[in-house]
Amino acid sequence: MGISIISGVLSSLESSTSQLKIRKHSLPNKWESHTPGTSTPTISNGGESPVLPSGISDPTIPTRFLACVSRESTARKLQTTFAQLGPLGAGIEVFQSANVEAAQQADVILLCCKPQIAHVILNEEGMKEALHKKLVISILAGVTISQMTEWVTPETRLVRAMPNTPCKASPVDIREGMTVITPSLDSAPGVSTDVELEKTIILNIFSSIGRCRFLEEKHFDACTALSGSGPAFACVFLEAIADGGVMMGLPRAEALELAAQTLQGAARMVLQDGAHPAQIKDAVTTPGGCTIAGLLALEDGRVRSTIARAIQIATERASVLGQPVKK
C-alpha cells in the first residue's frame, strides 16, 4: 500500500496540466472531495504558469520521499520499482534497517507496516525523539490512535488514514482510491499547531490518489472492511457476472471488459450524478423484462444479505488486527 500511495502522489506531482481543487467552502453535501484523476496542486506565481515540482516551495506539498524497508532484497526491488516511476521516482531514497534515521529527516511520516509490528517500529531506540512534534499518518488496520499515543511523545501529531488499492498509479495510472481520515486532534498543551496547514498536507497526499472523507475513528473498522477490503468483494462480483457472460457464449476477454466497464459506469452515476443505486436499478428494470428476472434470481440467492454480512464479518476482523495477541 505504501508503494501504491507514493506512486500515486508522484504521478500527481508530475501531472503539470491538472490541479487539485480543495473546495473548503463549496464541497458537495454528499461527498467530501474530489473529481477523479485530480492531482496534487502546483504553485502559481501571481497568475503565471504553475511552478514545476522541482521548484515547489509550498510546505504543504511533498518534495522529498524516503522509503524504509528491513531487507536488502526489498530495498533493491523498491529501487527498481521507483526508477520506473519517472524522474521523481528515481530520486526516492530507500533506507534499509534505518527507520529512526529516516524519521529524523522527515517532516511527515507515513506508517504502513503490518499492524502487529507497529509497536516494534515505534518503540525502536530513538524513534520517540525522532517523531517528536511531527505529523505521523498511520494506515494500519485495527491500530488505534490511543494505542499509538502510548508509543510517542504527547507532542507528536497522530492521524489515521485508511486508503485502498485503487489509489495506485503504477504500472497504470489509476488514482481512484478511497481514503478515510480521522479529523485532526487538538494540539497538546503548550504545542502550537496549524490545523489548517496539517489538513492541507493530508489532503494534498490523499486527494491526489482518489477521494477523501473525514470520519471519526470509531467508524474505521467498518471503513477498513468496506473500502479497504471492498475491492476484493467487488472483484468477486465482477468476475461472477463476467463468468455468466462466458457461460452464455461471450468470449472471456469481452465478457470481462463489459463487466468492468458496467460496474465503473454505475459507480460514476452514483458518485458524479448523485443518483441512489435503487434509482439506477429501477431505471433499468422494465415490467416483464430480463433485468427483473435476473434481479429475482439474485434475491433467491440472498446476494444482498450475503454481501452485507461480508462487510459485517470483515469489520469484526478488522477490529482485532492491531490488538495484542492473547495467550
Side-chain angles (χ1 to χ4, degrees):
M1 182 58 73
I3 296 174
S4 294
I5 293 172
I6 200 170
S7 65
V9 173
L10 289 181
S11 177
S12 173
L13 284 169
E14 291 178 338
S15 299
S16 59
T17 58
S18 60
Q19 281 191 304
L20 174 65
K21 299 177 181 178
I22 302 174
R23 297 159 289 176
K24 297 181 181 178
H25 304 294
S26 60
L27 291 174
N29 292 331
K30 194 169 183 180
W31 309 108
E32 182 75 24
S33 62
H34 64 218
T35 54
T38 56
S39 56
T40 299
T42 49
I43 309 304
S44 297
N45 283 333
E48 298 178 9
S49 300
V51 177
L52 294 175
S54 60
I56 287 176
S57 59
D58 189 330
T60 68
I61 298 177
T63 56
R64 184 186 178 198
F65 299 88
L66 315 176
C68 299
V69 296
S70 58
R71 295 191 294 269
E72 183 180 353
S73 60
T74 306
R76 290 196 301 268
K77 182 178 179 181
L78 277 187
Q79 288 170 338
T80 301
T81 300
F82 290 148
Q84 298 172 354
L85 299 179
L88 290 178
I92 296 176
E93 303 165 54
V94 180
F95 285 68
Q96 180 201 339
S97 300
N99 295 329
V100 173
E101 180 184 351
Q104 290 171 338
Q105 300 181 39
D107 297 313
V108 178
I109 292 85
L110 185 65
L111 185 62
C112 48
C113 60
K114 294 181 179 179
Q116 54 268 36
I117 65 171
H119 71 285
V120 176
I121 292 176
L122 293 180
N123 282 298
E124 287 185 26
E125 184 177 356
M127 182 62 76
K128 182 175 292 189
E129 293 74 19
L131 300 180
H132 185 64
K133 292 186 178 182
K134 294 183 179 180
L135 175 61
V136 178
I137 305 172
S138 166
I139 67 168
L140 309 185
V143 181
T144 65
I145 289 178
S146 62
Q147 283 179 273
M148 292 185 288
T149 299
E150 299 177 359
W151 304 328
V152 299
T153 65
E155 295 79 14
T156 301
R157 304 288 293 162
L158 294 172
V159 172
R160 284 186 69 186
M162 179 50 60
N164 61 5
T165 51
C167 71
K168 63 182 293 187
S170 176
V172 179
D173 192 358
I174 306 291
R175 286 191 288 148
E176 289 288 357
M178 181 70 234
T179 303
V180 179
I181 306 166
T182 55
S184 299
L185 300 176
D186 294 332
S187 298
V191 178
S192 176
T193 301
D194 189 333
V195 176
E196 285 303 312
L197 175 67
E198 183 179 90
K199 180 179 179 180
T200 302
I201 291 173
I202 296 169
L203 282 177
N204 281 352
I205 295 173
F206 292 104
S207 282
S208 69
I209 55 178
R211 289 178 176 264
C212 293
R213 165 70 64 178
F214 285 90
L215 284 175
E216 297 294 333
E217 189 179 19
K218 64 182 180 181
H219 298 300
F220 259 59
D221 292 333
C223 293
T224 299
L226 183 53
S227 62
S229 302
F233 304 150
C235 283
V236 169
F237 185 79
L238 191 158
E239 187 178 24
I241 59 176
D243 283 346
V246 172
M247 182 177 68
M248 300 314 297
L250 287 175
R252 170 65 64 179
E254 283 73 8
L256 191 58
E257 179 184 12
L258 266 63
Q261 181 61 33
T262 298
L263 292 186
Q264 176 177 247
R268 286 184 181 274
M269 290 176 72
V270 173
L271 290 172
Q272 295 179 0
D273 293 345
H276 191 280
Q279 290 178 293
I280 302 172
K281 173 181 67 68
D282 290 347
V284 182
T285 308
T286 56
C290 60
T291 303
I292 188 61
L295 287 171
L296 288 177
L298 290 176
E299 295 296 346
D300 289 341
R302 301 177 62 184
V303 169
R304 188 189 300 261
S305 62
T306 299
I307 294 174
R309 289 295 185 194
I311 301 300
Q312 178 188 7
I313 298 300
T315 298
E316 294 169 354
R317 178 59 181 165
S319 68
V320 301
L321 286 179
Q323 306 308 310
V325 178
K326 296 182 180 180
K327 297 182 180 179

